[in-house]
Amino acid sequence: MKNVGIGRRIFVLGNGLFLILVSMIVLIPLLLVVSTSISPDEVVARQGYVLIPKSITFANYFAIFNSGYMPAFYNSLFVTISATLFSMGMTLVMGYALAQKDLIFKNFLLRFVVATMVLDAGIIPFYLVVNKLGMIDSYLSLIIPSAISTYNLILMKNYMASIPESLMESARLDGCTELGILIKIVIPVSIPIIAAVTLFYAVSHWNTYLYVVMFINDSSKYTLQILLRQLIFQSESAISSASALNNFKMSVMIMTMLPVLILYPFIQRYFISGIMLGSVKG
């Protein structure tokens, strides 16, 4: 460290200050949301937002459990779990198929898959197709159209292509089927990329908003994101009898973030390694 030049020290110091600034930009809004959500109504009514709470109350969180937001929360949970499982099943099977070196028309299929990232027929044709399939006002409209993400599929395919071919050849010689190879060999060694892609899908399905607005007409099937928008843009929520002060709004926001905050720590150790390997392999 004694031989470190002045330029290097300035870079390290500047980099540290920059990272501290970025961290503050991220953490201060989150702290503002949490602090406001646990502040009493009279304080929030007077100040609007609270950065450092002087007193703490969880009344708004209890109010959420007795309001119409809980059915919407369960709707979001159901859609997220169902859609994520379906998406992962489709992505695993298709990623494994595209990772095979002897797949017929492999290059054509890969180009066709990549083309979906830049070509879009538009919202109107998309809506007409979903309507023609009879999925309007059904949760299927939130699950099937967004079943596969091209980006996630490419990550999965690249990771699986990096698995030694000798493992799968040995299984084939032992009479194992392709499905058996996928379940017994490929999936166990692909846990890092599976965890990363699962998180991507879960966050995407949990935050889905446009598809709900487009395809769901029954208010009893609304997800939490729809009611959160209604709460933010209305002075009084049409679903809850609770006063729509900022602390109640912030409590609902915390509720929308909670599943992701709970899920991420369990797959964090797989996240970076899965993304790196899935991005550079293949």
Side-chain angles (χ1 to χ4, degrees), residues 115-179:
T116 62
M117 299 182 70
V118 295
L119 299 177
D120 190 351
I123 294 179
I124 301 302
F126 181 41
Y127 178 86
L128 293 176
V129 170
V130 173
N131 185 38
K132 191 68 175 179
L133 293 174
M135 293 189 294
I136 297 297
D137 218 20
S138 169
Y139 286 138
L140 292 177
S141 63
L142 309 180
I143 298 175
I144 295 179
S146 56
I148 296 181
S149 163
T150 304
Y151 175 74
N152 292 339
L153 177 61
I154 292 174
L155 288 179
M156 188 71 68
K157 172 262 175 187
N158 288 346
Y159 191 99
M160 290 181 173
S162 69
I163 299 174
E165 186 68 23
S166 57
L167 291 176
M168 290 174 277
E169 287 296 335
S170 299
R172 291 189 183 100
L173 292 174
D174 291 337
C176 191
T177 63
E178 294 298 325
L179 182 59

Side-chain angles (χ1 to χ4, degrees), residues 30-279:
L30 181 59
L31 177 61
L32 186 69
V33 171
V34 174
S35 299
T36 304
S37 70
I38 58 177
S39 297
D41 289 349
E42 58 273 13
V43 175
V44 176
R46 183 173 63 254
Q47 299 183 11
Y49 296 96
V50 178
L51 184 60
I52 301 177
K54 297 179 181 180
S55 59
I56 296 176
T57 177
F58 295 98
N60 288 300
Y61 290 97
F62 291 115
I64 291 175
F65 285 100
N66 298 320
S67 69
Y69 291 95
M70 287 310 297
F73 178 84
Y74 295 138
N75 292 342
S76 292
L77 206 59
F78 172 77
V79 170
T80 300
I81 294 175
S82 302
T84 300
L85 290 176
F86 184 71
S87 296
M88 285 304 301
M90 297 289 290
T91 304
L92 281 170
V93 173
M94 193 169 179
Y96 174 71
L98 292 174
Q100 304 309 303
K101 295 181 175 60
D102 56 350
L103 178 66
I104 300 176
F105 303 124
K106 177 180 178 179
N107 291 333
F108 170 77
L109 292 174
L110 283 175
R111 290 189 179 95
F112 186 80
V113 168
V114 173
T116 62
M117 299 182 70
V118 295
L119 299 177
D120 190 351
I123 294 179
I124 301 302
F126 181 41
Y127 178 86
L128 293 176
V129 170
V130 173
N131 185 38
K132 191 68 175 179
L133 293 174
M135 293 189 294
I136 297 297
D137 218 20
S138 169
Y139 286 138
L140 292 177
S141 63
L142 309 180
I143 298 175
I144 295 179
S146 56
I148 296 181
S149 163
T150 304
Y151 175 74
N152 292 339
L153 177 61
I154 292 174
L155 288 179
M156 188 71 68
K157 172 262 175 187
N158 288 346
Y159 191 99
M160 290 181 173
S162 69
I163 299 174
E165 186 68 23
S166 57
L167 291 176
M168 290 174 277
E169 287 296 335
S170 299
R172 291 189 183 100
L173 292 174
D174 291 337
C176 191
T177 63
E178 294 298 325
L179 182 59
I181 293 173
L182 174 62
I183 296 175
K184 298 178 181 179
I185 297 177
V186 176
I187 290 180
V189 301
S190 302
I191 294 299
I193 192 64
I194 290 175
V197 172
T198 298
L199 179 64
F200 286 157
Y201 275 129
V203 172
S204 176
H205 291 306
W206 177 260
N207 290 327
T208 187
Y209 174 80
L210 179 61
Y211 287 177
V212 182
V213 173
M214 289 174 58
F215 304 132
I216 303 299
N217 301 319
D218 187 354
S219 60
S220 65
K221 296 181 180 180
Y222 281 170
T223 59
L224 189 58
Q225 305 299 333
I226 301 298
L227 299 193
L228 177 59
R229 183 194 179 280
Q230 291 179 352
L231 176 63
I232 291 175
F233 288 97
Q234 294 177 4
S235 60
E236 189 74 21
S237 172
I239 291 86
S240 174
S241 60
S243 178
L245 292 173
N246 286 332
N247 53 352
F248 187 78
K249 296 177 183 178
M250 299 301 125
S251 300
V252 178
M253 289 183 184
I254 293 294
M255 187 179 177
T256 62
M257 294 187 291
L258 195 59
V260 177
L261 295 176
I262 293 175
L263 178 64
Y264 183 75
F266 292 100
I267 63 177
Q268 181 182 9
R269 63 193 182 104
Y270 300 114
F271 188 75
I272 300 299
S273 61
I275 293 300
M276 293 298 295
L277 290 173
S279 300

